Amino acid sequence: SITIGLTDAQGLVWTSSAGGVDAAGTKPTATTLYGVGSVAKLLTTVAVMQLVDQGKIGLDQPVAKYLPSFSMRSPQYRQITMRMLLNHSAGFPGADYSNGFTTKPFPGYAKQALETLSRATLKTTPGAIGVYCNDCFTVAGEVVAAVSGMPYTTYVDRNILQPLGMRDSLFITKAMPAAGTVARTFEGNVMRPQEVTNIYASGGLLSTPTDMGAFARMFIGEGTVGGVKVLTPQSVAEMGRDQVATTLNPVPDPYMIFGLGWDTVSAASMRFEGVKG
Protein backbone atom coordinates (compact mmCIF):
# COMPACT_ATOMS: atom_id res chain seq x y z
CA SER A 1 0.00 0.00 0.00
CA ILE A 2 0.96 3.63 -0.20
CA THR A 3 -0.17 6.81 1.50
CA ILE A 4 1.00 10.28 0.55
CA GLY A 5 0.52 13.85 1.71
CA LEU A 6 1.36 17.31 0.41
CA THR A 7 1.94 20.14 2.86
CA ASP A 8 2.79 23.82 2.69
CA ALA A 9 3.70 26.30 5.41
CA GLN A 10 0.09 26.58 6.59
CA GLY A 11 -0.89 22.94 6.78
CA LEU A 12 -1.81 19.74 5.00
CA VAL A 13 -2.99 20.52 1.45
CA TRP A 14 -3.87 17.06 0.14
CA THR A 15 -3.58 13.43 1.04
CA SER A 16 -4.44 10.14 -0.63
CA SER A 17 -3.85 6.43 -0.28
CA ALA A 18 -4.09 3.23 -2.28
CA GLY A 19 -3.59 -0.49 -1.95
CA GLY A 20 -4.21 -2.83 0.96
CA VAL A 21 -2.59 -2.89 4.40
CA ASP A 22 -3.50 -6.47 5.30
CA ALA A 23 -4.41 -9.83 3.79
CA ALA A 24 -8.02 -8.70 3.38
CA GLY A 25 -6.94 -5.74 1.26
CA THR A 26 -8.11 -3.09 3.74
CA LYS A 27 -7.38 0.39 2.39
CA PRO A 28 -4.98 2.60 4.39
CA THR A 29 -6.44 5.43 6.45
CA ALA A 30 -5.02 8.79 7.55
CA THR A 31 -3.68 7.13 10.71
CA THR A 32 -2.18 3.98 9.18
CA LEU A 33 1.44 3.76 10.28
CA TYR A 34 4.43 3.23 8.00
CA GLY A 35 8.11 2.96 8.84
CA VAL A 36 9.78 6.23 7.78
CA GLY A 37 13.21 4.59 7.61
CA SER A 38 16.23 6.86 7.63
CA VAL A 39 14.12 10.00 7.69
CA ALA A 40 14.28 9.24 11.42
CA LYS A 41 17.89 10.47 11.31
CA LEU A 42 16.42 13.97 11.14
CA LEU A 43 14.61 13.39 14.44
CA THR A 44 17.92 12.48 16.04
CA THR A 45 19.58 15.53 14.52
CA VAL A 46 16.79 17.81 15.74
CA ALA A 47 17.14 16.30 19.23
CA VAL A 48 20.89 16.99 19.22
CA MET A 49 20.39 20.52 17.87
CA GLN A 50 17.83 21.26 20.58
CA LEU A 51 20.51 20.41 23.15
CA VAL A 52 22.95 22.57 21.18
CA ASP A 53 20.45 25.44 21.36
CA GLN A 54 20.31 24.91 25.13
CA GLY A 55 24.10 25.00 25.46
CA LYS A 56 24.24 21.38 26.66
CA ILE A 57 26.05 20.02 23.59
CA GLY A 58 28.73 21.55 21.38
CA LEU A 59 28.79 20.31 17.79
CA ASP A 60 32.58 20.37 17.69
CA GLN A 61 33.09 18.80 21.10
CA PRO A 62 34.19 15.14 21.41
CA VAL A 63 31.46 12.54 21.62
CA ALA A 64 33.31 10.93 24.55
CA LYS A 65 32.78 14.11 26.56
CA TYR A 66 29.06 13.42 26.67
CA LEU A 67 29.07 9.62 26.41
CA PRO A 68 31.84 8.07 28.57
CA SER A 69 30.69 4.57 27.58
CA PHE A 70 31.75 5.23 23.98
CA SER A 71 35.16 3.86 23.04
CA MET A 72 36.97 2.08 20.20
CA ARG A 73 40.23 0.18 19.80
CA SER A 74 41.63 3.07 17.73
CA PRO A 75 42.68 5.84 20.15
CA GLN A 76 41.65 8.45 17.54
CA TYR A 77 38.02 7.78 18.51
CA ARG A 78 38.53 10.59 21.02
CA GLN A 79 38.70 12.98 18.05
CA ILE A 80 35.18 12.13 16.87
CA THR A 81 32.87 15.09 17.41
CA MET A 82 29.09 15.41 17.47
CA ARG A 83 29.22 17.11 14.07
CA MET A 84 31.04 14.09 12.62
CA LEU A 85 28.27 11.79 13.80
CA LEU A 86 25.61 13.94 12.13
CA ASN A 87 27.46 14.34 8.82
CA HIS A 88 28.57 10.70 8.52
CA SER A 89 32.30 11.44 8.83
CA ALA A 90 33.15 9.69 12.12
CA GLY A 91 35.15 6.99 10.31
CA PHE A 92 33.27 4.02 11.75
CA PRO A 93 33.98 0.69 10.02
CA GLY A 94 30.36 -0.05 9.08
CA ALA A 95 27.09 -0.76 10.86
CA ASP A 96 25.96 -3.34 13.40
CA TYR A 97 22.76 -4.89 12.01
CA SER A 98 22.53 -7.78 14.48
CA ASN A 99 19.13 -7.55 16.20
CA GLY A 100 18.47 -4.38 14.23
CA PHE A 101 15.41 -5.79 12.48
CA THR A 102 13.34 -8.34 14.39
CA THR A 103 9.75 -9.50 14.84
CA LYS A 104 9.57 -8.35 18.45
CA PRO A 105 11.16 -5.38 20.25
CA PHE A 106 14.81 -5.61 21.21
CA PRO A 107 15.41 -2.51 23.38
CA GLY A 108 19.07 -3.39 24.00
CA TYR A 109 20.20 -2.66 20.45
CA ALA A 110 21.95 0.68 21.16
CA LYS A 111 23.93 -0.81 24.05
CA GLN A 112 24.91 -3.71 21.79
CA ALA A 113 26.07 -1.30 19.07
CA LEU A 114 28.30 0.55 21.54
CA GLU A 115 29.81 -2.77 22.65
CA THR A 116 30.48 -3.68 19.01
CA LEU A 117 32.21 -0.35 18.42
CA SER A 118 34.35 -0.85 21.53
CA ARG A 119 35.93 -3.86 19.78
CA ALA A 120 36.27 -2.12 16.39
CA THR A 121 38.93 0.03 14.77
CA LEU A 122 38.39 3.17 12.72
CA LYS A 123 38.61 2.84 8.95
CA THR A 124 39.71 6.45 8.38
CA THR A 125 40.72 9.58 10.25
CA PRO A 126 37.67 11.11 11.94
CA GLY A 127 36.28 13.94 9.83
CA ALA A 128 38.19 12.97 6.69
CA ILE A 129 35.58 11.21 4.57
CA GLY A 130 31.79 11.23 4.63
CA VAL A 131 30.40 7.69 4.26
CA TYR A 132 26.75 6.93 5.04
CA CYS A 133 26.66 5.26 8.45
CA ASN A 134 23.74 4.18 10.64
CA ASP A 135 25.99 3.65 13.67
CA CYS A 136 26.76 7.38 13.71
CA PHE A 137 23.14 8.11 14.54
CA THR A 138 22.79 5.26 17.00
CA VAL A 139 25.66 6.83 18.95
CA ALA A 140 24.14 10.31 18.58
CA GLY A 141 20.89 8.96 20.02
CA GLU A 142 22.77 7.62 23.03
CA VAL A 143 24.35 11.05 23.53
CA VAL A 144 20.84 12.54 23.57
CA ALA A 145 19.87 9.99 26.22
CA ALA A 146 22.98 10.63 28.33
CA VAL A 147 22.72 14.42 28.22
CA SER A 148 18.95 14.61 28.71
CA GLY A 149 18.77 11.89 31.35
CA MET A 150 15.97 9.98 29.60
CA PRO A 151 15.79 7.25 26.96
CA TYR A 152 16.19 8.48 23.38
CA THR A 153 12.65 7.49 22.40
CA THR A 154 11.19 9.27 25.44
CA TYR A 155 13.16 12.43 24.66
CA VAL A 156 11.95 12.48 21.05
CA ASP A 157 8.35 11.90 22.10
CA ARG A 158 8.37 14.69 24.71
CA ASN A 159 10.40 17.27 22.83
CA ILE A 160 9.57 16.72 19.16
CA LEU A 161 6.52 14.51 18.56
CA GLN A 162 4.24 15.96 21.26
CA PRO A 163 5.08 19.66 20.65
CA LEU A 164 4.46 19.22 16.91
CA GLY A 165 1.20 17.35 17.48
CA MET A 166 2.54 14.16 15.88
CA ARG A 167 0.12 12.07 17.93
CA ASP A 168 0.14 8.96 15.78
CA SER A 169 3.93 8.60 15.48
CA LEU A 170 5.75 6.09 17.67
CA PHE A 171 8.70 3.77 18.19
CA ILE A 172 8.05 0.10 18.92
CA THR A 173 9.86 -0.20 22.24
CA LYS A 174 7.93 -2.66 24.41
CA ALA A 175 4.60 -3.85 23.05
CA MET A 176 3.69 -4.44 19.42
CA PRO A 177 1.25 -1.95 17.84
CA ALA A 178 -2.40 -2.93 17.79
CA ALA A 179 -3.46 -5.14 14.91
CA GLY A 180 -4.47 -3.18 11.84
CA THR A 181 -2.61 0.01 12.75
CA VAL A 182 0.56 -0.65 10.72
CA ALA A 183 0.69 -1.20 6.96
CA ARG A 184 2.00 -4.70 6.27
CA THR A 185 4.32 -5.94 3.55
CA PHE A 186 3.82 -8.98 1.35
CA GLU A 187 5.80 -11.54 -0.59
CA GLY A 188 3.42 -12.34 -3.40
CA ASN A 189 0.10 -12.90 -1.62
CA VAL A 190 1.70 -13.90 1.68
CA MET A 191 1.71 -11.27 4.44
CA ARG A 192 5.11 -11.03 6.10
CA PRO A 193 5.51 -10.80 9.90
CA GLN A 194 5.41 -7.31 11.38
CA GLU A 195 8.98 -5.98 11.35
CA VAL A 196 10.40 -4.05 14.28
CA THR A 197 13.24 -1.62 13.61
CA ASN A 198 15.27 -1.49 16.82
CA ILE A 199 17.76 0.95 15.30
CA TYR A 200 15.62 3.73 16.77
CA ALA A 201 17.86 6.74 16.26
CA SER A 202 18.74 5.80 12.70
CA GLY A 203 15.46 4.55 11.30
CA GLY A 204 12.93 3.33 13.87
CA LEU A 205 9.99 5.74 13.70
CA LEU A 206 6.52 4.73 12.52
CA SER A 207 4.48 7.67 11.28
CA THR A 208 1.85 9.03 8.89
CA PRO A 209 1.91 11.66 6.12
CA THR A 210 -0.12 13.99 8.34
CA ASP A 211 2.40 13.78 11.16
CA MET A 212 5.40 13.99 8.85
CA GLY A 213 3.81 17.05 7.26
CA ALA A 214 3.95 18.76 10.65
CA PHE A 215 7.61 17.81 10.93
CA ALA A 216 8.28 19.23 7.45
CA ARG A 217 6.48 22.49 8.32
CA MET A 218 8.86 22.93 11.23
CA PHE A 219 11.73 23.19 8.73
CA ILE A 220 9.73 25.43 6.41
CA GLY A 221 9.08 27.69 9.42
CA GLU A 222 12.78 27.81 10.35
CA GLY A 223 12.22 25.85 13.54
CA THR A 224 8.73 27.04 14.45
CA VAL A 225 5.31 25.77 13.39
CA GLY A 226 1.92 26.86 14.67
CA GLY A 227 3.57 29.10 17.24
CA VAL A 228 5.55 26.16 18.67
CA LYS A 229 9.31 26.66 18.62
CA VAL A 230 11.23 23.41 18.26
CA LEU A 231 14.57 24.73 16.96
CA THR A 232 16.27 28.07 16.45
CA PRO A 233 16.56 29.35 12.85
CA GLN A 234 20.33 29.09 13.28
CA SER A 235 20.13 25.34 13.96
CA VAL A 236 17.81 24.74 11.02
CA ALA A 237 20.25 26.65 8.78
CA GLU A 238 23.24 24.69 10.10
CA MET A 239 21.48 21.40 9.41
CA GLY A 240 21.01 22.51 5.80
CA ARG A 241 24.58 23.66 5.23
CA ASP A 242 27.05 21.63 3.14
CA GLN A 243 29.09 19.90 5.83
CA VAL A 244 31.59 18.09 3.62
CA ALA A 245 32.94 20.84 1.34
CA THR A 246 36.22 20.97 3.24
CA THR A 247 36.76 17.26 3.92
CA LEU A 248 39.58 15.23 2.41
CA ASN A 249 37.24 13.08 0.29
CA PRO A 250 39.18 12.85 -3.00
CA VAL A 251 36.08 12.13 -5.10
CA PRO A 252 33.18 14.47 -4.25
CA ASP A 253 29.78 12.82 -4.66
CA PRO A 254 27.24 15.26 -6.13
CA TYR A 255 24.37 13.08 -4.92
CA MET A 256 25.37 12.86 -1.26
CA ILE A 257 26.32 16.35 -0.10
CA PHE A 258 25.72 15.70 3.58
CA GLY A 259 24.18 18.30 5.81
CA LEU A 260 23.49 17.49 9.46
CA GLY A 261 21.01 14.63 9.28
CA TRP A 262 20.15 15.40 5.67
CA ASP A 263 21.48 12.94 3.06
CA THR A 264 22.10 15.84 0.69
CA VAL A 265 21.59 19.58 0.86
CA SER A 266 22.06 20.35 -2.81
CA ALA A 267 20.08 18.79 -5.65
CA ALA A 268 20.86 20.03 -9.17
CA SER A 269 17.26 20.06 -10.39
CA MET A 270 16.07 22.04 -7.36
CA ARG A 271 19.06 24.38 -7.51
CA PHE A 272 18.16 25.12 -11.15
CA GLU A 273 14.71 26.26 -9.98
CA GLY A 274 16.05 28.23 -7.03
CA VAL A 275 14.55 25.83 -4.50
CA LYS A 276 16.30 24.53 -1.38
CA GLY A 277 16.51 20.79 -1.27
Side-chain angles (χ1 to χ4, degrees), residues 36-52 57 59 82 85-88 133-145 152-153 155-157 159-161 171 198-205 212 215 218-219 230-231 239 260-262:
V36 305
S38 285
V39 178
K41 289 180 171 65
L42 288 170
L43 290 166
T44 302
T45 308
V46 168
V48 170
M49 297 308 289
Q50 285 179 332
L51 296 170
V52 170
I57 286 178
L59 280 178
M82 294 302 300
L85 294 181
L86 302 180
N87 67 20
H88 299 275
C133 181
N134 284 324
D135 278 3
C136 282
F137 287 80
T138 294
V139 174
E142 288 304 280
V143 171
V144 169
Y152 165 81
T153 54
Y155 179 92
V156 169
D157 183 58
N159 295 279
I160 301 175
L161 303 183
F171 296 92
N198 302 300
I199 309 175
Y200 301 137
S202 184
L205 187 75
M212 293 307 290
F215 190 56
M218 185 272 292
F219 290 104
V230 174
L231 279 182
M239 286 179 64
L260 297 179
W262 297 108

Side-chain angles (χ1 to χ4, degrees), residues 59-60 81-87 238 241 243 260:
L59 280 178
D60 297 308
T81 66
M82 294 302 300
R83 186 186 301 276
M84 293 173 193
L85 294 181
L86 302 180
N87 67 20
E238 185 63 23
R241 187 175 66 82
Q243 298 286 320
L260 297 179

Side-chain angles (χ1 to χ4, degrees), residues 119-130:
R119 300 188 298 271
T121 56
L122 288 163
K123 68 178 178 183
T124 187
T125 303
I129 299 176

Side-chain angles (χ1 to χ4, degrees), residues 248-262:
L248 303 179
N249 189 340
V251 184
D253 183 348
Y255 303 103
M256 296 290 273
I257 302 173
F258 295 121
L260 297 179
W262 297 108

Side-chain angles (χ1 to χ4, degrees), residues 156-261:
V156 169
D157 183 58
R158 291 181 183 177
N159 295 279
I160 301 175
L161 303 183
Q162 290 186 29
L164 290 176
M166 298 172 67
R167 298 179 182 86
D168 294 313
S169 301
L170 56 88
F171 296 92
I172 304 177
T173 57
K174 295 180 180 178
M176 297 293 286
T181 60
V182 183
R184 302 295 290 273
T185 58
F186 297 82
E187 289 186 3
N189 295 321
V190 179
M191 189 167 68
R192 298 178 61 187
Q194 172 63 53
E195 184 179 76
V196 180
T197 302
N198 302 300
I199 309 175
Y200 301 137
S202 184
L205 187 75
L206 297 179
S207 191
T208 69
T210 302
D211 277 8
M212 293 307 290
F215 190 56
R217 288 194 296 277
M218 185 272 292
F219 290 104
I220 296 172
E222 297 185 322
T224 300
V225 58
V228 177
K229 183 177 181 181
V230 174
L231 279 182
T232 63
Q234 292 80 8
S235 283
V236 172
E238 185 63 23
M239 286 179 64
R241 187 175 66 82
D242 179 355
Q243 298 286 320
V244 297
T246 58
T247 69
L248 303 179
N249 189 340
V251 184
D253 183 348
Y255 303 103
M256 296 290 273
I257 302 173
F258 295 121
L260 297 179

Side-chain angles (χ1 to χ4, degrees), residues 101-127:
F101 303 93
T102 58
T103 55
K104 61 181 180 180
F106 181 75
Y109 172 80
K111 181 180 178 181
Q112 168 198 293
L114 286 173
E115 291 175 350
T116 300
L117 283 170
S118 73
R119 300 188 298 271
T121 56
L122 288 163
K123 68 178 178 183
T124 187
T125 303

